[in-house]
Amino acid sequence: MPFCVKITFEIDKNDDWLDGLDTVNEFFKDKDIYPTGPIIFQKKSIGIGEYEYTAFISLNTELHDIPELNIEYIDMLEVGPTLSEKCFEESEFEQVYSQIELAAKENEVKILDQPYYHVMVDYFGGSVFEIYAQLELSDGDNSE
């Protein structure tokens, strides 16, 4: 994704993580900046009932870092190689993680020790999630 911003915030498990993006979206609207792709996010447990979300959003233009909103500009977000699986509900994430881990084991590939990337795409009637686990390449592997 080109012209990407990285936004990190912490929330309680009972809060809707998308609410954390409202302030950022309002800031963008006032500056004629808008998203050009899906929201990509990582979710990491940081305590009992607390999560850290890192969202990546592709924009229509470059942007400088905005520390007061925890926004960091990234020229290009590239993730790969990966294993991925789709689902329609956040409640299915744990099951999908298990499916990805089983596929990695069966194919003798190792998943990097980092949160999975979740791509959220809206469609008529809801959202679909594609979950990506980034793979570790050994010295003999070639990503091309």
Side-chain angles (χ1 to χ4, degrees), residues 1 16-19 21 25 35 37-42 53 55-57 85 87-90 93 117-123 126-132:
M1 285 188 349
D16 184 1
W17 69 272
L18 290 171
D19 290 343
L21 297 178
N25 287 334
I39 294 174
I40 297 175
F41 66 94
Q42 293 177 303
Y53 279 84
F56 301 90
I57 303 171
E85 185 67 48
C87 66
F88 293 94
E89 302 290 332
E90 286 188 57
F93 284 2
Y117 289 88
H118 304 73
V119 178
M120 183 177 79
V121 179
D122 291 330
Y123 71 95
S127 296
V128 64
F129 299 92
E130 188 150 353
I131 301 173
Y132 292 85

Side-chain angles (χ1 to χ4, degrees), residues 8 10 20 23 27 33 35 40 51-52 72 81-82 85-86 90 94 96 113 124 128-129 137 142:
T8 303
E10 297 174 5
T23 303
F27 175 83
I33 298 171
I40 297 175
Y51 295 96
E52 177 182 87
E72 177 185 341
T82 62
E85 185 67 48
K86 289 185 174 110
E90 286 188 57
E94 293 299 325
V96 171
D113 185 22
F124 184 74
V128 64
F129 299 92
L137 292 178
N142 186 348

Side-chain angles (χ1 to χ4, degrees), residues 50-118:
E50 295 180 319
Y51 295 96
E52 177 182 87
Y53 279 84
T54 302
F56 301 90
I57 303 171
S58 182
L59 301 175
N60 63 317
T61 188
E62 293 182 30
L63 186 72
H64 294 289
D65 290 353
I66 308 169
E68 61 272 14
L69 294 178
N70 290 326
I71 295 176
E72 177 185 341
Y73 178 74
I74 303 170
D75 285 331
M76 178 76 65
L77 174 65
E78 295 182 69
V79 178
T82 62
L83 280 176
S84 67
E85 185 67 48
K86 289 185 174 110
C87 66
F88 293 94
E89 302 290 332
E90 286 188 57
S91 62
E92 298 172 348
F93 284 2
E94 293 299 325
Q95 178 184 349
V96 171
Y97 301 157
S98 295
Q99 291 171 328
I100 289 172
E101 290 162 9
L102 179 61
K105 184 176 180 179
E106 289 174 347
N107 290 286
E108 298 179 1
V109 293
K110 186 172 180 183
I111 297 172
L112 286 177
D113 185 22
Q114 68 178 31
Y116 292 170
Y117 289 88
H118 304 73

Side-chain angles (χ1 to χ4, degrees), residues 22-34:
D22 287 344
T23 303
V24 174
N25 287 334
E26 288 302 315
F27 175 83
F28 288 160
K29 275 189 218 175
D30 294 343
K31 309 244 182 284
D32 201 26
I33 298 171
Y34 52 88

